Amino acid sequence: MLKLFGAVLVVLAGTLAGFQRARQYADRPRNIRSLIAALQRLETEIMYGFTPLPEALRRIGQQCKEPLRALFVQAAEEMSPPHDRSAEEAFGRAMEAHWKAAALKGAEKEVIRQLSCTLGTSDRSNQSNHIALALQQLKQEETAAREDQGKYETMSKSLGLLLGALIVILIF
Amino acid sequence: MANDWLHLFPEKVRMLLKSLPLQLLSAVEEIRVREGRPLEINYSGKYHFLSADGRLTQKPEEAYRPDREDSHRLLDLISNHSLYTMEEELRKGFITIPGGHRIGLAGRTVLSGGGVEHLRDITGFNVRIAREVPGVADSVLPYLLDKGRLRVLHTLILSPPQHGKTTLLRDLARQISGGSQNRQGGSRQGLKVGIVDERSEIAGSRRGIPAFDVGPRTDILDGCPKAEGMMMMIRSLSPDVIIADEIGRPEDADAVTEALHAGITVVASAHGKEVAELARRPGLGSLLEHRMFERYVILHRSEAGLSFRVLDSQKRALLPGAPGERTGGERHA
C-alpha cells in the first residue's frame, strides 16, 4: 500500500516537473513580447514625450504586468534620488533582483544590459537607433523562443509523466 | 534649499566639497570640473584648486583631477540620466537645473549645415551656483522709481559676467512686484511683473513654479526666447514691468522697443562694462542712440563687495558708488 502511494507520488512529481518546464517554454515568448512592447513604449516616451528616463521607466513599469513591472519600477527607483544610479547600474540591480521571476534567458538579459549602457547618454536619434537594435534582437529571440515552444512544450509535459513512470518501473 | 546643488556631483567630488567648511561652501560661486585637470572652485572673485584630501590650494599639481568616470557621472546626474531631453540645451552650451543653477558645458561640437547641432565628448563643466540675496537691490531701487508717477523707469543693468546681474534682477523683480510699506513714511504699490526667463536663471523654475522668491505679482515665461517672450507678455499677460536677462541680439532690441512703445517698463541686463562700449554693439546700439533707457546701472564687484553706479539717460551719474560704499555682498545661503 505504502509502495503504491510512493509510486503515485513519484509519477505526480514527474508530471508536475514536466508541466513546470512546459510552462517556461510557453511563458518565454510571451515575456519577450511584453519586453518588446515595453521598449516600444520607451522609444515613444523618448522620441515624442521627451520624458526623463526615470519617469519614463516608471510609467512603462506601471503599464506592464509582472514580472516586468517590478523590473522597470525598480530600475526607475534606482535612478531617482537618493540613489541616483546610472541607467546601466540601475538595470543591473533590477535585473539581479527580478530576472529570475521572468521566464527569460541570458540572451534577452544581454540585450537589455547592452541597451542600458547607452540609455539616456545620447541624443534622441541615437537613442532610437539603439532601441531599434535591441528590438530587432529581441524579435529574433522571440522567434527562436516560439520555435522552442512548438518543439518542446508538449514534449516536456509527456516527458515528465514518462520520466516519473520510468523511475517507478526501475524502483519496483 | 541650502546647498541643494551638492547632490549633482558624483560621489568623490561631492565628498571633497562636503569636507569644505560650511561657511565657504555657502559662498561658492562656481565649481569647474574639467576632466583630467584640476578641480577648481571660485568664490568672492578668487579661484582655488581643491586637493584630493579636501584642502584649498593654489598649486594645480596638488589638486584633485576628476577622471572620465567623474565627468560621465556628472553629465548623467545633471541631465537626469536623460541627455536626449537636453538637445536644445546642448546646442546652446548650457543646462539650467532646478534651483536655477546653470551649468556651462565644453566639449566637441558636432556641426550640421554650418551650425552647432550637438555637443559631444563633454568634458568641461562650469557649475554656477544661483543664490538669492534678498535686499541686494535696496540701494538701487529708489533710483529706478519715478516717484511721481508710481512707475519703474526703463533700466539697463550692465556688468561683466559673474558680477551679480541676475541676482540683482531677481531681487528687483521681488521688490517691484511686492511693493513696499512704511519706508520713509510712504507705501508703494506692487506692480505686475513679467519675467522672460530664457535660461531659467532668474526664477529657477521647476515645472513652472519659481524656486526663488520673485514676488507675489510676478508671471514667469520659463525657457522662452526673450524677443518672442516679451511680445507674448505684452499681448497676453499685461505686465507693468518686463524683466529680461542678457539682452543683446537685434531681435531683442526690437522687442524692447516694442515694449517701451506699448507703455511697459523694461528692466533688462546686458554684458558690458561701460555704456559707451555697449553703444558699439550692433543690437543694442540703436536702443542707446534713441535713449530708450532712462537708467543705467553698472555693477562692479570687487573683494570689498558689490558696488553700483547709476546713470540717467544722458549718462550722467546719479549714484557714484565707490567700492565698498554699499555692499550687497552679505551672502545668505
Side-chain angles (χ1 to χ4, degrees):
Chain A
M1 183 67 199
L2 200 64
K3 253 184 175 177
L4 194 67
F5 182 66
V8 169
L9 221 57
V10 169
V11 173
L12 204 68
T15 315
L16 279 180
F19 270 74
Q20 176 71 19
R21 183 89 201 207
R23 215 191 53 177
Q24 269 187 6
Y25 279 115
D27 277 352
R28 184 156 173 252
R30 223 186 5 252
N31 278 337
I32 296 179
R33 194 90 281 240
S34 348
L35 200 57
I36 288 174
L39 288 191
Q40 277 164 343
R41 270 202 291 272
L42 181 64
E43 189 179 8
T44 315
E45 291 283 0
I46 288 175
M47 291 301 286
Y48 305 104
F50 291 91
T51 321
L53 206 47
E55 205 188 317
L57 292 177
R58 190 166 297 128
R59 267 191 221 168
I60 289 162
Q62 278 155 4
Q63 291 166 358
C64 284
K65 286 197 204 114
E66 293 292 356
L68 290 183
R69 184 193 189 102
L71 177 81
F72 282 110
V73 170
Q74 191 187 341
E77 298 282 301
E78 297 277 352
M79 287 176 82
S80 309
H83 308 297
D84 262 329
R85 291 184 223 283
S86 66
E88 188 182 351
E89 230 177 307
F91 266 102
R93 280 165 173 264
M95 287 199 289
E96 194 86 11
H98 301 290
W99 202 257
K100 285 203 189 90
L104 294 165
K105 285 195 180 160
E108 295 89 81
K109 194 173 185 176
E110 183 58 24
V111 171
I112 298 295
R113 196 194 62 76
Q114 274 181 9
L115 179 66
S116 74
C117 298
T118 50
L119 268 187
T121 58
S122 55
D123 58 1
R124 281 185 308 150
S125 59
N126 196 305
Q127 295 282 300
S128 169
N129 286 344
H130 282 290
I131 294 178
L133 182 69
L135 283 175
Q136 200 191 343
Q137 285 169 333
L138 284 180
K139 276 176 189 154
Q140 277 170 12
E141 289 303 325
E142 194 201 354
T143 322
R146 279 203 194 286
E147 278 169 18
D148 283 356
Q149 184 190 4
K151 270 193 244 164
Y152 302 120
E153 193 185 358
T154 35
M155 197 184 84
S156 308
K157 281 183 197 165
S158 24
L159 210 64
L161 179 72
L162 290 177
L163 213 65
L166 181 70
I167 293 170
V168 170
I169 291 165
L170 285 180
I171 288 174
F172 273 97
Chain B
M1 192 62 208
N3 302 331
D4 62 339
W5 43 271
L6 268 177
H7 69 88
L8 275 184
F9 289 94
E11 201 72 355
K12 266 183 278 175
V13 180
R14 193 188 317 162
M15 284 302 148
L16 284 180
L17 290 170
K18 270 190 177 163
S19 67
L20 293 172
L22 203 61
Q23 197 187 359
L24 195 154
L25 204 57
S26 49
V28 170
E29 286 152 15
E30 275 190 346
I31 298 164
R32 313 195 70 126
V33 177
R34 303 174 177 101
E35 188 179 312
R37 280 155 296 160
L39 179 65
E40 175 186 333
I41 65 174
N42 295 342
Y43 65 92
S44 351
K46 285 178 291 188
Y47 77 93
H48 304 271
F49 296 117
L50 196 55
S51 75
D53 48 4
R55 278 178 308 112
L56 291 181
T57 169
Q58 289 293 325
K59 297 181 191 148
E61 58 273 14
E62 287 178 5
Y64 174 71
R65 288 163 192 265
D67 54 19
R68 171 145 291 225
E69 165 84 24
D70 285 333
S71 69
H72 275 187
R73 240 353 241 140
L74 180 55
L75 187 62
D76 196 40
L77 288 170
I78 56 184
S79 64
N80 190 16
H81 316 284
S82 320
L83 209 56
Y84 56 82
T85 57
M86 304 277 169
E87 281 172 39
E88 191 56 36
E89 283 88 342
L90 290 184
R91 235 192 308 276
K92 288 185 189 155
F94 65 87
I95 294 174
T96 309
I97 58 156
H101 312 300
R102 178 157 113 192
I103 298 154
L105 303 169
R108 189 182 144 74
T109 54
V110 179
L111 300 182
S112 163
V116 175
E117 153 143 330
H118 194 63
L119 199 59
R120 52 173 302 175
D121 303 333
I122 297 168
T123 54
F125 302 84
N126 172 20
V127 183
R128 287 179 61 180
I129 312 295
R131 281 211 181 77
E132 235 174 339
V133 188
V136 72
D138 283 352
S139 57
V140 189
L141 191 59
Y143 292 92
L144 311 185
L145 289 173
D146 179 353
K147 285 262 162 66
R149 282 187 291 159
L150 285 174
R151 65 174 203 101
V152 181
L153 299 166
H154 306 307
T155 304
L156 186 66
I157 299 169
L158 273 183
S159 87
Q162 265 244 300
H163 281 239
K165 281 189 301 289
T166 308
T167 316
L168 180 63
L169 274 181
R170 191 180 297 137
D171 202 45
L172 278 174
R174 183 181 67 87
Q175 299 207 21
I176 293 170
S177 152
S180 64
Q181 276 145 13
N182 305 324
R183 282 186 71 209
Q184 287 110 35
S187 77
R188 181 169 55 78
Q189 290 272 300
L191 298 172
K192 282 180 283 183
V193 175
I195 299 179
V196 185
D197 204 358
E198 182 167 0
R199 298 159 197 251
S200 309
E201 273 195 305
I202 304 180
S205 298
R206 174 175 207 165
R207 298 185 185 195
I209 314 281
F212 296 117
D213 180 7
V214 286
R217 301 193 70 200
T218 302
D219 300 303
I220 302 143
L221 271 178
D222 190 32
C224 186
K226 280 176 291 271
E228 233 169 288
M230 282 192 252
M231 302 307 286
M232 282 166 70
M233 282 265 173
I234 296 168
R235 282 196 292 265
S236 58
L237 289 165
S238 72
D240 298 315
V241 180
I242 289 183
I243 291 185
D245 206 0
E246 295 181 14
I247 58 168
R249 288 169 306 173
E251 58 263 40
D252 297 344
D254 291 344
V256 168
T257 315
E258 191 82 21
L260 298 188
H261 290 313
I264 295 164
T265 301
V266 173
V267 178
S269 72
H271 284 301
K273 263 188 186 150
E274 290 298 330
V275 177
E277 216 172 70
L278 208 65
R280 286 195 291 272
R281 283 179 46 185
L284 300 174
S286 67
L287 284 179
L288 268 65
E289 204 176 298
H290 296 106
R291 296 203 178 143
M292 290 291 190
F293 289 109
E294 293 160 288
R295 291 287 183 269
Y296 297 97
V297 178
I298 297 163
L299 295 184
H300 179 75
R301 202 180 56 186
S302 58
E303 286 177 29
L306 195 60
S307 62
F308 306 107
R309 272 192 299 145
V310 181
L311 311 180
D312 68 2
S313 59
Q314 321 271 323
K315 294 161 199 152
R316 288 176 306 215
L318 295 173
L319 173 68
E325 177 194 277
R326 154 70 208 180
T327 58
E330 283 169 55
R331 299 213 153 244
H332 306 262

